């Protein structure tokens, strides 16, 4: 079959197995490994742990057969029904990741063939597990690796289900986010991944009509998502949650309707509330750079002018314009060097897009200050700048 090892490898495996009288150095026979493929019997999770271990750490013939068995297991129509047992009972991180890859393969390649009740079962299981793992900040931190993989799996479900089979998805997510800060933090991660899937990678991962449908749905329901982000930014006292929200907002700024940027308090919040905060400055400046690169027509020219003047006023408090940036770069921390890089990106992005808008008497001083920064940055002896 297509998953069988090449014949010389299979022959060597058989010879080695016969010579030792076992299935290899692990003591696992091929028959024992193959018993994982009997879906009429209860799953032996300890055996699966051992087969995964052999795949990663075993001798070549054994590892090859473990690979074949794990592939055949993953391709079985009922494989997904064993994922919850594995995640609950396995002692091995590698096995848990394998189980999630089984689930992801089911969602990507077999979802439309599953009966609706089974689709609901998978969805409810993934949602329930995510809620459980992100129920507290401690749990969120301790399970970060699992949640990263589970969130990615969940995004695959959303792409299949939303909006046709799950019209209330955005409302459900926003509602859940208001019940707990740790859950909200994880949901920001889910929204960021979903935005990337739909707007950044969609051409590679979806048929055109599906991508078009999801883009339209995201735009249509973005008001509720923006309200959640805005609520966090205005009211949350958790620095970690605000930072997670800003990272999600950064992805949104690549595509959101301009009204959310220029007809809300968003720019003022970024400039006056978060840019002065050391821990939030890096992601805030990246958000402002996304805004700076927007091309939105004459109607918003005054808003860009205000942004430029206000930003230069704020920037003086972080880096005096007459500072020796080349010296500061050599002696600076990683964070300070990143700030210099991001400042260069903001200024060049803004001036490339809106130089004409700020070529006025009122903007003369801020414009000179911007060029002073750029001249100082140009003297930094580093190819990263």
């Amino acid at each position: 079959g297509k998953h069988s090892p090449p014949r010389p490898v299979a022959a060597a495996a058989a010879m080695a197995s016969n010579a030792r009288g076992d299935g290899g150095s692990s003591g696992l026979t091929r028959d024992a490994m193959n018993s994982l493929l009997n879906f009429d019997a209860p799953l032996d999770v300890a055996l699966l742990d051992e087969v995964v271990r052999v795949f990663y750490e075993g001798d070549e013939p054994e590892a090859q057969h473990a690979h074949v068995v794990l592939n055949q297991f993953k391709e079985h129509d009922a494989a997904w029904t064993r994922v919850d047992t594995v995640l609950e009972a396995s002692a091995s991180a590698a096995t848990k990741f394998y189980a999630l890859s089984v689930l992801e393969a089911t969602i990507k390649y077999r979802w439309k063939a599953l009966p609706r009740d089974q689709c609901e079962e998978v969805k409810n299981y993934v949602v329930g597990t995510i809620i459980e793992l992100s129920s507290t900040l401690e749990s969120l931190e301790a399970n970060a690796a699992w949640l990263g993989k589970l969130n990615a799996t969940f995004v695959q479900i959303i792409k299949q289900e939303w909006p046709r089979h799950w019209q209330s998805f955005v409302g459900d997510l926003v509602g859940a986010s208001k019940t707990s800060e740790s859950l909200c933090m994880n949901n920001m991660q889910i929204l960021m991944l979903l935005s990337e899937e739909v707007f950044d990678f969609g051409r590679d991962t979806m048929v055109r009509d599906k991508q078009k449908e999801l883009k339209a749905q995201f735009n249509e329901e973005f008001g509720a998502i923006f309200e959640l982000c805005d609520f966090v930014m205005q009211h949350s006292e958790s620095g970690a949650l605000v930072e997670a929200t800003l990272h999600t907002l950064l992805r949104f700024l690549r595509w959101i309707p301009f009204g959310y940027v220029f007809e809300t308090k968003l720019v003022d919040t970024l400039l006056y509330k978060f840019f002065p905060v050391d821990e939030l400055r890096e992601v805030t400046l990246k958000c402002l750079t996304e805004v700076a690169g927007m091309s939105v027509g004459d109607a918003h020219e005054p808003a860009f002018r205000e942004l430029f003047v206000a930003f230069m006023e704020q920037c003086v408090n972080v880096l005096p314009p007459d500072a020796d940036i080349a010296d500061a770069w050599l002696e600076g921390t990683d964070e300070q060097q990143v700030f210099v890089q991001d400042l260069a990106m903001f200024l060049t992005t803004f001036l490339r897009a809106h130089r004409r808008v700020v070529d006025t008497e009122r903007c003369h001083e801020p414009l000179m200050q911007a060029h002073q920064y750029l001249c100082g940055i140009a003297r930094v002896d580093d190819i990263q700048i």
Side-chain angles (χ1 to χ4, degrees):
K2 63 179 175 176
H3 293 296
S4 300
R7 279 190 186 161
V9 177
M15 285 167 59
S17 179
N18 292 337
R20 282 189 296 262
D22 59 17
S25 59
S26 68
L28 268 186
T29 64
R30 288 182 167 223
D31 284 346
M33 289 197 208
N34 292 342
S35 69
L36 284 175
L37 304 175
N38 177 7
F39 281 80
D40 294 325
L43 177 66
D44 184 340
V45 176
L47 175 61
L48 180 61
D49 282 345
E50 184 60 13
V51 173
V52 170
R53 188 195 69 75
V54 168
F55 170 62
Y56 284 110
E57 300 172 13
D59 296 337
E60 180 61 34
E62 280 189 291
Q64 186 75 37
H65 190 68
H67 185 214
V68 171
V69 169
L70 292 172
N71 269 336
Q72 288 177 347
F73 184 95
K74 183 188 278 193
E75 290 189 347
H76 195 284
D77 288 344
W80 68 271
T81 63
R82 309 230 146 165
V83 169
D84 56 343
T85 305
V86 177
L87 293 180
E88 284 161 23
S90 173
S92 158
T95 306
K96 289 181 177 181
F97 271 102
Y98 167 73
L100 287 175
S101 75
V102 168
L103 194 58
E104 203 163 13
T106 300
I107 296 159
K108 276 185 174 177
Y109 306 118
R110 294 200 192 88
W111 194 259
K112 289 179 173 60
L114 287 181
R116 281 309 311 161
D117 62 327
Q118 291 185 5
C119 292
E120 287 296 319
E121 198 180 321
V122 175
K123 182 185 86 176
N124 292 337
Y125 172 73
V126 172
V127 169
T129 308
I130 287 173
I131 289 172
E132 186 184 335
L133 292 179
S134 56
S135 58
T136 65
L137 290 171
E138 294 74 23
S139 177
L140 194 66
E141 207 169 299
N143 295 291
W146 297 125
L147 275 167
K149 183 72 173 166
L150 263 174
N151 290 341
T153 304
F154 184 40
V155 166
Q156 297 305 322
I157 293 176
I158 297 165
K159 283 163 60 181
Q160 299 279 4
E161 295 287 277
W162 183 53
R164 193 166 302 145
H165 296 296
W166 194 2
Q167 289 185 323
S168 63
F169 158 65
V170 169
D172 293 349
L173 191 88
V174 169
S177 298
K178 292 177 179 174
T179 64
S180 126
E181 284 204 331
S182 56
L183 195 57
C184 188
M185 273 179 73
N186 193 63
N187 286 347
M188 286 297 170
Q189 186 70 25
I190 290 166
L191 286 169
M192 182 167 74
L193 289 172
L194 184 60
S195 177
E196 288 175 345
E197 280 280 320
V198 174
F199 289 92
D200 299 341
F201 313 134
R203 277 180 299 186
D204 303 324
T205 61
M206 283 180 276
V207 294
R208 186 178 298 172
D209 286 352
K210 183 62 181 176
Q211 188 192 15
K212 192 175 172 185
E213 180 188 32
L214 287 177
K215 279 185 172 182
Q217 197 67 28
F218 224 135
N219 271 298
E220 189 180 316
E221 299 199 53
F222 187 70
I225 296 170
F226 183 82
E227 279 176 25
L228 174 65
C229 294
D230 189 56
F231 182 84
V232 169
M233 291 189 292
Q234 302 302 335
H235 302 292
S236 177
E237 294 178 7
S238 162
L241 175 55
V242 170
E243 187 174 4
T245 303
L246 288 171
H247 278 288
T248 301
L249 182 69
L250 177 59
R251 296 302 191 283
F252 292 159
L253 283 167
R254 294 172 185 170
W255 59 266
I256 64 173
F258 298 134
Y260 289 108
V261 179
F262 297 106
E263 293 161 26
T264 66
K265 295 181 288 188
L266 177 60
V267 172
D268 282 356
T269 302
L270 292 171
L271 268 174
Y272 298 113
K273 187 170 185 178
F274 299 136
F275 184 75
V277 179
D278 290 348
E279 295 80 6
L280 299 175
R281 187 173 298 126
E282 182 181 334
V283 65
T284 302
L285 183 47
K286 284 179 166 65
C287 287
L288 289 168
T289 302
E290 286 290 337
V291 174
M294 290 178 174
S295 178
V296 293
D298 298 347
H300 293 294
E301 282 186 4
F304 279 107
R305 210 171 288 126
E306 293 301 321
L307 165 60
F308 186 70
V309 171
F311 177 79
M312 298 317 294
E313 286 172 357
Q314 290 292 314
C315 204
V316 173
N317 301 322
V318 181
L319 183 68
D322 57 357
D324 187 329
I325 295 176
D327 270 4
W329 175 272
L330 288 173
E331 296 166 16
T333 61
D334 288 349
E335 289 78 13
Q336 289 166 332
Q337 290 184 348
V338 167
F339 174 73
V340 171
Q341 289 175 309
D342 289 347
L343 176 60
M345 185 62 73
F346 173 86
L347 293 173
T348 53
T349 300
F350 189 97
L351 294 173
R352 193 180 299 121
H354 309 291
R355 172 63 201 255
R356 180 183 59 79
V357 174
V358 294
D359 214 352
T360 65
E361 188 60 38
R362 186 186 167 214
C363 294
H364 177 73
E365 194 175 325
L367 196 53
M368 291 301 101
Q369 186 184 323
H371 283 102
Q372 195 173 352
Y373 279 132
L374 288 171
C375 288
I377 292 168
R379 286 195 288 271
V380 172
D381 185 19
D382 193 312
I383 57 169
Q384 293 178 38
I385 294 286

